[in-house]
Amino acid sequence: MVPRRGSEIVIINSNIAMFSLFIDDKNKLKVGSFSTIEGLGGELYSERHGHQIKLLNGFLCEPFLSKTIVGSSDIIISIFDNAGLLITSLTGVASEMNIKPNKKNSSVFMTGDGLPALLPEALPLLVERRNGFPIEHGRWLTLNHDEKEAWLEVSLLDNRKPAYKTKPIDIELDGKTIVDIVSFLCALGEAVFGPGGYIGRNLGALEDYLSCNTDLNVPFNLRWKNSRDSEKRFKDCGEEDIYRDILVILKNSGVNVILD
């Protein structure tokens, strides 16, 4: 009998991405492995079916070659890099799993309002990170606004954050690259923690991080070069108040901001 609770979907990437489905938290009964996932960004939502996630191009283990439907189940989607290290795990609930058994090419379709979801632009960035944690500065500068938001989401989710050996005393930001709250958080996370560094994805998270995180050496000095360029760009995109809020949060957190 297939358990109705406690499913786990594991995505493992080697040379070809592999998605493995397990059921039962205790026994980890393997259902099968797949090379493709669709719908993690919510793109398969419809009024008729709700949110869908599809696992495609895979094979099923016994006894699931003879199964067709599995009821409501807790799920975890875990994404691993090429070295087998965990990038992240996403939890949710599938209302129903429809299994399409085929000895050469099986698939699983999941539906339910509780399925895990990422920003649509996040999955490609996670796929990119399967080669390892970012080591090059400025990758976020090549992204558009929505992709920068996804960059922050992925940086938050990535469990492989390196153990930073130094804590900031003096850091520097270039205001010519900081045009809104999203780009500011991308820039500050990288300036403090290095490539892929995360320090918040909104003002509330930034304030919490600055006040609670032991990875930081607060107070520290932050030199914001070309700050007038940033202030103008914030104003142009309707985030003038957010620019002022950033300065207040930094000051209240003990960060010595030098506006150049």
Side-chain angles (χ1 to χ4, degrees):
M1 179 178 179
V2 178
R4 293 178 59 84
R5 302 294 297 174
S7 305
E8 181 180 6
I9 299 171
V10 177
I11 304 173
I12 303 175
N13 182 68
S14 53
N15 292 327
I16 299 176
M18 185 169 65
F19 305 74
S20 295
L21 173 62
F22 295 81
I23 291 183
D24 190 342
D25 286 335
K26 295 181 180 179
N27 298 324
K28 291 292 191 299
L29 180 62
K30 186 174 183 179
V31 176
S33 296
F34 310 85
S35 63
T36 306
I37 190 168
E38 296 178 0
L40 198 55
E43 65 272 19
L44 297 182
Y45 181 85
S46 68
E47 291 185 3
R48 179 180 178 184
H49 299 290
H51 185 189
Q52 291 182 294
I53 291 178
K54 298 180 180 180
L55 290 166
L56 307 168
N57 305 320
F59 66 90
L60 295 170
C61 302
E62 294 288 353
F64 297 97
L65 281 169
S66 60
K67 301 292 182 183
T68 56
I69 296 178
V70 177
S72 178
S73 300
D74 294 334
I75 65 171
I76 302 171
I77 299 179
S78 297
I79 306 177
F80 293 82
D81 65 14
N82 288 338
L85 299 176
L86 178 68
I87 298 178
T88 192
S89 293
L90 308 170
T91 61
V93 179
S95 298
E96 185 175 273
M97 295 184 186
N98 291 280
I99 299 174
K100 309 294 184 182
N102 184 300
K103 290 185 178 180
K104 293 184 178 180
N105 191 0
S106 297
S107 59
V108 174
F109 297 176
M110 292 174 290
T111 59
D113 293 333
L115 291 176
L118 295 170
L119 291 174
E121 297 79 11
L123 186 58
L125 292 173
L126 283 170
V127 171
E128 179 181 303
R129 288 196 180 205
R130 286 177 178 165
N131 293 320
F133 197 83
I135 58 174
E136 300 292 335
H137 287 79
R139 170 68 180 96
W140 63 272
L141 289 168
T142 66
L143 306 177
N144 63 36
H145 179 272
D146 290 345
E147 290 169 338
K148 287 185 178 77
E149 288 188 328
W151 178 265
L152 293 175
E153 179 176 54
V154 170
S155 296
L156 168 63
L157 293 172
D158 198 332
N159 294 313
R160 304 166 303 163
K161 298 176 179 66
Y164 301 101
K165 296 180 180 179
T166 59
K167 296 182 178 181
I169 299 176
D170 298 285
I171 65 172
E172 186 175 283
L173 301 179
D174 184 357
K176 291 184 178 180
T177 67
I178 300 172
V179 301
D180 54 18
I181 178 60
V182 175
S183 55
F184 170 78
L185 292 170
C186 289
L188 184 62
E190 181 171 276
V192 173
F193 292 122
Y198 173 82
I199 200 166
R201 59 187 299 190
N202 52 49
L203 287 178
L206 172 66
E207 188 171 19
D208 290 344
Y209 210 107
L210 289 172
S211 61
C212 301
N213 198 284
T214 57
D215 290 337
L216 291 171
N217 184 26
V218 179
F220 60 85
N221 299 318
L222 189 161
R223 182 174 296 276
W224 194 330
K225 297 175 59 179
N226 303 305
S227 60
R228 290 188 177 182
D229 289 347
S230 292
E231 185 177 11
K232 181 180 183 303
R233 296 293 295 275
F234 271 73
K235 183 177 181 180
D236 290 343
C237 71
E239 294 186 358
E240 184 176 10
D241 291 343
I242 293 178
Y243 176 81
R244 290 194 290 264
D245 289 342
I246 288 172
L247 297 179
V248 171
I249 288 172
L250 293 173
K251 180 180 178 180
N252 291 343
S253 300
V255 178
N256 179 30
V257 180
I258 303 163
L259 300 178
D260 285 348

